[in-house]
Amino acid sequence: MLNPNQSKGRSIADVEPSGTGHPAVRESSRTRLCVVVTVDITLLNLCRGRFEYLTENGFDVTAVCAPTPHAETIRKRGVRLFTFPLTRCITPWTDLRALIGLYRFFRRERFEIVEVSTPKAALLGSIAARLARVPCVVHLLRGLAYQGSTGLRLKLLKAAHRVPCTLAHHVISVSQQIRDQACGDGVCSPDRVTVLGAGSSNGVDLERFCPPDAGLRAKTRNELRFPDGAVVAGMCARLTGDKGVVELIAAFEELADSVPQLHLLLIGDYDLADRPPQHVMDSVRRHPRIRHVGWQEDTTRWMAVMDYFVMPTHREGLGTVLLEAAAMGLPVISTGAAGWWGPIEPGKDALCISAKSVPELRSAMHRLSTDAGLRERLGRAGRERVAEHFDCRVVWALQASEFRRLIGR
């Protein structure tokens, strides 16, 4: 529920300086926190429950992202929402507008702490926050976008990551793997970055993401027209090249004839910035054993129909959706780039493959498609490990405690 003292959210036009100076700071013992991300999907999927917890525990939360059709859904989580012209691509003039708007916004609002994450928002948000003299700027390092890049692009992306890691008062990495690589690559100084607990930006709601009810599973499978005896592999993510959707469709098509019970369910939308090739999208649309349901606010209903989860990502911070799938008792196939293999043991809790390897992916999918006993063992072990390390309320409590420590320091 919205705090009655909070605005219901405004656009960039509403936060431009009006010439009357700074508004009066509210008299409150609550900590004024602003969370800045590039696009709405991060707020919708990777902050679920987090804002409500922080609001209940002494924080007034404001969220910032690019313009979104899901504004009301975000506001219902108890936050004010402001939008700025943030893009994932390099757009110099638009980026300059966003930078100026963010600077003026931070000067007006006088937040005690600003958290920036995702590459473009972290870059522009950290610069604007420091120029506006925000007392505490935290960079939540969700991943390293330069992974897999080469040449000039690699140098530019590394430099873009180095800026928020340098300007922020402190960096919180979502996994030990990302921390180690960022430090090893010279992106971040080791004394400036920590991992809270076992990592993760949001943890997992173990009550929401749990082994599904048999009735709901059967009903949804029937709605999707999966036949009796179907083995459903599933993926829930932005359907982009760097999430491995090209390799997934290739592996599925190679297996389709030899494993006739195998079906594929895709949850998520295509991303304009990294759309897969047209022939891949054509296969998704035309193949009789592929179902694509688009983006879903509540993914649990759709994931309940899966027999195993697969995401052959090329790069990742710590794949929250992989943890959610494991919490539901789904065996998981992913890559060494997924950032979670420290606390999760490949081979015991999940199957780990090399990024961009269609043969390895095909082999792993064949194993899980044809071995029900292996699916059961991996699913049970994955659920136990996620429950031990990634309970969302533990993750949120660690974050809230760290914010208070940083402000006090």
Side-chain angles (χ1 to χ4, degrees):
M1 181 179 295
L2 285 170
N3 184 312
N5 292 322
Q6 292 176 332
S7 161
K8 296 184 69 176
R10 294 165 283 178
S11 68
I12 186 172
D14 296 303
V15 299
E16 294 290 336
S18 62
T20 59
H22 294 303
V25 178
R26 275 181 301 185
E27 293 183 5
S28 173
S29 60
R30 298 172 64 82
T31 300
R32 306 193 69 219
L33 165 68
C34 182
V35 174
V36 186
V37 301
T38 307
V39 295
D40 57 3
I41 196 71
T42 307
L43 301 177
L44 291 165
N45 289 352
L46 300 182
C47 295
R48 187 186 295 271
R50 182 183 187 226
F51 293 151
E52 293 89 335
Y53 177 91
L54 291 171
T55 299
E56 292 170 0
N57 286 272
F59 291 83
D60 281 339
V61 184
T62 297
V64 167
C65 68
T68 168
H70 304 290
E72 286 305 316
T73 299
I74 297 169
R75 291 174 188 143
K76 287 177 181 177
R77 296 182 180 177
V79 303
R80 298 188 305 161
L81 175 66
F82 294 79
T83 61
F84 292 83
L86 295 164
T87 67
R88 283 197 173 118
C89 305
I90 299 174
T91 51
W93 289 113
T94 302
D95 294 344
L96 180 59
R97 285 180 55 225
L99 177 63
I100 294 171
L102 286 168
Y103 164 74
R104 291 173 173 173
F105 174 61
F106 293 149
R107 289 279 293 173
R108 286 180 57 137
E109 293 292 322
R110 296 183 178 179
F111 296 107
E112 292 163 86
I113 183 166
V114 168
E115 176 196 275
V116 297
S117 69
T118 66
K120 181 63 74 67
L123 175 64
L124 300 182
S126 62
I127 295 172
R130 289 308 297 262
L131 289 174
R133 297 185 179 181
V134 173
C136 183
V137 181
V138 175
H139 177 25
L140 180 58
L141 186 60
R142 296 180 180 273
L144 301 171
Y146 60 79
Q147 288 177 316
S149 299
T150 58
L152 179 60
R153 177 177 173 81
L154 173 62
K155 293 179 180 179
L156 289 174
L157 289 176
K158 274 192 175 182
H161 279 69
R162 194 174 292 115
V163 170
C165 286
T166 301
L167 291 181
H169 295 95
H170 194 65
V171 181
I172 299 174
S173 173
V174 298
S175 74
Q176 189 64 44
Q177 177 177 316
I178 291 297
R179 180 192 183 279
D180 292 345
Q181 183 172 350
C183 295
D185 291 344
V187 169
C188 192
S189 174
D191 62 348
R192 296 175 59 80
V193 56
T194 57
V195 178
L196 303 180
S200 178
S201 65
N202 202 49
V204 178
D205 183 340
L206 297 173
E207 294 182 1
R208 178 168 176 256
F209 292 95
C210 60
D213 172 77
L216 174 63
R217 172 180 164 87
K219 178 182 178 182
T220 309
R221 284 171 74 101
N222 184 59
E223 290 176 6
L224 291 170
R225 304 187 307 280
F226 288 130
D228 293 341
V231 174
V232 180
M235 175 175 173
C236 177
R238 290 181 296 110
L239 302 184
T240 63
D242 67 6
K243 295 295 184 184
V245 70
V246 175
E247 292 84 1
L248 175 58
I249 298 304
F252 175 81
E253 290 184 323
E254 291 178 14
L255 282 172
D257 291 336
S258 59
V259 188
Q261 72 272 25
L262 178 61
H263 290 67
L264 181 62
L265 173 62
L266 300 174
I267 306 169
D269 289 333
Y270 296 111
D271 190 324
L272 293 176
D274 187 18
R275 293 171 72 91
Q278 187 62 47
H279 71 87
V280 172
M281 295 188 289
D282 289 342
S283 294
V284 170
R285 185 174 67 255
R286 296 172 182 170
H287 200 289
R289 280 154 50 195
I290 298 178
R291 304 286 187 273
H292 178 206
V293 297
W295 181 84
Q296 301 291 328
E297 182 179 353
D298 182 9
T299 59
T300 56
R301 177 182 176 222
W302 306 97
M303 290 170 69
V305 312
M306 300 176 185
D307 291 287
Y308 64 91
F309 191 89
V310 55
M311 192 170 78
T313 181
H314 299 175
R315 62 178 181 85
E316 204 76 25
L318 192 150
T320 298
V321 70
L322 299 175
L323 302 179
E324 293 170 346
M328 293 184 70
L330 294 173
V332 168
I333 300 171
S334 194
T335 69
W340 73 331
W341 302 113
I344 302 295
E345 299 178 23
K348 178 181 178 182
D349 305 297
L351 297 183
C352 181
I353 61 171
S354 302
K356 303 182 182 181
S357 174
V358 173
E360 288 188 33
L361 177 57
R362 182 180 64 243
S363 176
M365 291 178 67
H366 186 274
R367 288 181 65 191
L368 288 185
S369 299
T370 57
D371 191 338
L374 178 61
R375 294 200 300 268
E376 182 180 357
R377 290 193 300 275
L378 290 180
R380 183 171 57 252
R383 165 76 184 182
E384 292 173 355
R385 190 57 69 94
V386 170
E388 179 182 355
H389 291 281
F390 296 107
D391 186 319
C392 61
R393 298 192 72 83
V394 173
V395 172
W396 298 333
L398 287 170
Q399 292 174 346
S401 177
E402 183 71 356
F403 289 161
R404 295 188 186 101
R405 185 189 72 81
L406 291 170
I407 293 172
R409 185 182 69 176

